[in-house]
Amino acid sequence: MSHASHLPQALPGHPHIARQGATLMIESLPAAELARRFGTPLYVYSRAAIEQAARAYSDAAGDRPIALRYAVKANSSLAILQLLARLGWGFDVVSGGELARVLAAGASADKVVFSGVGKTDAEIAAALRAGVQCINVESLSEVQRVNRVAGETGVSAPVSLRINPDVDPRTHPYISTGLRNNKFGIAQSQARQAYAQCAQLPHLRVLGIDVHIGSQITEIGPYLDALDRVLDLVHDIERDGVRLHHLDLGGGLGIRYADETPPTPAQWIEALSERLQARGQGHRQVLLEPGRSVVGNAGVLLCEVVTLKSSLEKHFAVVDAAMNDLMRPALYEAWQRIEPAQARDGAQALRYDIVGPVCESGDWLGRDRMLDVREGDVLAILSAGAYGMAMASNYNTRPRAAEVLVDGERAQLIRERESLQDLMRGERPLEN
Ligand SMILES: *Cc1c(COP(=O)(O)O)cnc(C)c1O
């Protein structure tokens, strides 16, 4: 490498993550330096990247009647929720825990929608007491449950019904949610009956209709199919005499992990708006619940190579991050780009499987990657901002990673690394 200055080269699909010569940069800080300073495994997020993704949505929404509700399950760290709350976003939560988090982050409850296929009485009551905007109800039985809990709590419950539009989002089967055989939502054929039932119940206030067809969706078509089905239903439901105030079209927009070219938020919103206009529904209030596309490519997981080993068949780079830190590869066979924090000259490049130390053969983070690495080198697993830390566990009694938010030349620790005491807290020795 020469000492000539290098202009930063942003990695495709990863604004604010760039290679400057041999050095991987997160905004203005070298990834390797962050790893040294905060230890590994370490989640690092670019604040500018999150804000840029969020602004792409709000700019596209413009003055259309579109309300943005960040899907908390993609990344529920408080500082990130705070950042989005400050940008004026509301939230989509799927548990009482996520509701507590967004309230702790300063969200106003009237911008919170509560989704999820199995809400308990306690969670429903907490949402009603907090004064959430809407509860997205997922079954006929839950209609009754919300009505009963609302009666007991002494508030009228704002509800939408989540309809399963039976649309194939053409994504991974584990992240498809709007197909007939998924557990989510109320079958389209039962929707009118369900709304009729809601209208009869004293403690419900029907606000809208809700769909969410899946995640990592890379085409517009499935969204328009779902929207058409929703609009057909809206027509029928309103003819039956139930007024619907909003359409919640869920989230699911994909990001670039490898070479996908998903629609931008602007293209998605434009296409939805056009279809709504074309069907004379341009005035409808629309809620969107993006998660992955807001935070996914703003985060990386840094890890250190602990051991290099070779079998007869393969070379392995064993790193200090594992499936408990980043579950997507083990869970969905997901591919995420892996980059050295400090690139070498390539002279000793080999084809590696990058694996963690957890006692499971499913514990891999990347397969068949050409890398020139030594023990002690830092690797960055890209596109780790969504469904990374939020899915982390303590399997193998591994403390969860620390998290850092980079803002220009500043790095702020937003979550301490868990300690072993944290892990054993609450456990009790045998009594006899
Ligand atoms: C997961 C989920 C989302 C967000 O999905 P992304 O793919 O992260 O955008 C939105 N709404 C609901 C109901 C969800 O379950």
Side-chain angles (χ1 to χ4, degrees):
M1 277 287 154
S2 79
H3 290 278
S5 70
H6 296 269
L7 287 175
Q9 288 276 320
L11 304 184
H14 298 264
H16 306 287
I17 299 175
R19 198 161 275 293
Q20 190 161 8
T23 305
L24 186 72
M25 304 289 291
I26 319 290
E27 299 197 24
S28 304
L29 295 175
E33 192 182 301
L34 290 163
R36 259 195 308 278
R37 181 165 152 206
F38 295 99
T40 50
L42 181 72
Y43 275 99
V44 181
Y45 309 105
S46 155
R47 180 173 181 158
I50 296 172
E51 290 178 341
Q52 182 172 325
R55 291 225 166 82
Y57 275 100
S58 43
D59 290 351
D63 48 19
R64 295 185 172 103
I66 292 179
L68 299 168
R69 303 288 176 256
Y70 167 69
V72 171
K73 75 178 193 286
N75 187 319
S76 55
S77 299
L78 285 174
I80 288 175
L81 301 179
Q82 265 184 306
L83 220 130
L84 290 161
R86 281 196 206 165
L87 292 172
W89 284 53
F91 298 94
D92 169 49
V93 301
V94 293
S95 69
E98 286 189 353
L99 174 63
R101 273 187 177 277
V102 298
L103 296 176
S108 62
D110 63 359
K111 289 186 180 174
V112 175
V113 298
F114 187 11
S115 307
V117 75
K119 303 172 201 77
T120 64
D121 286 12
E123 289 176 315
I124 294 164
L128 293 174
R129 281 198 207 94
V132 297
Q133 177 181 15
C134 192
I135 296 182
N136 292 335
V137 178
E138 298 224 10
S139 65
L140 290 167
S141 153
E142 199 175 61
V143 166
Q144 299 292 342
R145 179 186 289 265
V146 172
N147 179 64
R148 174 175 52 74
V149 175
E152 290 161 7
T153 315
V155 284
S156 123
V159 295
S160 287
L161 298 191
R162 175 164 174 185
I163 303 304
N164 184 328
D166 194 21
V167 160
D168 183 357
R170 301 192 276 276
T171 182
H172 189 284
Y174 282 14
I175 49 179
S176 295
T177 54
L179 279 166
R180 206 174 342 186
N181 60 1
N182 292 136
K183 68 179 176 182
F184 298 97
I186 297 171
Q188 230 185 149
S189 55
Q190 295 181 322
R192 287 171 74 177
Q193 177 203 343
Y195 275 98
Q197 196 176 330
C198 283
Q200 301 298 314
L201 293 171
H203 307 295
L204 301 184
R205 209 156 26 91
V206 175
L207 277 192
I209 187 166
D210 170 45
V211 286
H212 171 73
I213 57 175
S215 199
Q216 186 53 19
I217 297 169
T218 54
E219 310 164 60
I220 293 281
Y223 283 115
L224 295 179
D225 293 348
L227 177 57
D228 277 334
R229 294 185 180 196
V230 166
L231 291 175
D232 292 346
L233 268 177
V234 167
H235 177 83
D236 292 346
I237 292 160
E238 295 202 325
R239 207 180 39 201
D240 293 344
V242 180
R243 239 328 260 130
L244 296 178
H245 175 254
H246 73 235
L247 314 179
D248 182 340
L249 301 178
L253 195 65
I255 60 171
R256 178 169 181 148
Y257 285 101
D259 52 7
E260 303 91 331
T261 51
T264 62
Q267 288 167 334
W268 183 33
I269 287 177
E270 198 58 49
L272 293 175
S273 300
E274 260 174 35
R275 183 62 54 96
L276 283 160
Q277 298 273 344
R279 297 195 49 171
Q281 301 294 316
H283 59 285
R284 294 273 179 188
Q285 163 93 23
V286 169
L287 270 56
L288 297 178
E289 304 169 345
R292 186 190 310 269
S293 53
V294 179
V295 290
N297 276 348
V300 304
L301 173 60
L302 301 182
C303 56
E304 187 179 306
V305 177
V306 177
T307 302
L308 295 177
K309 60 181 279 186
S310 298
S311 68
L312 288 177
E313 310 264 298
K314 275 199 171 276
H315 303 292
F316 294 98
V318 186
V319 298
D320 64 359
M323 64 187 288
N324 74 294
D325 299 297
L326 180 66
M327 205 164 133
R328 297 186 64 259
L331 188 60
Y332 320 119
E333 301 197 347
W335 189 95
Q336 295 183 215
R337 185 164 169 173
I338 299 179
E339 290 277 329
Q342 204 61 42
R344 296 180 177 276
D345 62 11
Q348 294 184 40
L350 291 172
R351 189 174 300 282
Y352 287 101
D353 278 11
I354 292 83
V355 301
V358 163
C359 307
E360 299 279 345
S361 292
D363 180 29
W364 55 275
L365 298 167
R367 286 176 168 157
D368 294 324
R369 308 298 176 88
M370 283 305 289
L371 286 171
D372 181 357
V373 282
R374 313 292 144 81
E375 292 180 0
D377 282 4
V378 173
L379 297 178
I381 303 170
L382 272 64
S383 307
Y387 305 105
M389 187 63 182
M391 282 185 166
S393 79
N394 295 120
Y395 188 39
N396 279 207
T397 305
R398 291 171 49 85
R400 284 181 303 162
E403 292 179 293
V404 162
L405 185 68
V406 171
D407 182 7
E409 294 179 348
R410 287 190 42 209
Q412 188 205 330
L413 186 68
I414 58 168
R415 184 197 299 259
E416 292 174 16
R417 186 174 305 286
E418 245 171 357
S419 69
L420 293 173
Q421 288 94 306
D422 290 337
L423 295 195
M424 289 187 266
R425 195 168 62 83
E427 292 188 45
R428 305 290 165 88
L430 280 177
E431 280 176 4
N432 54 45

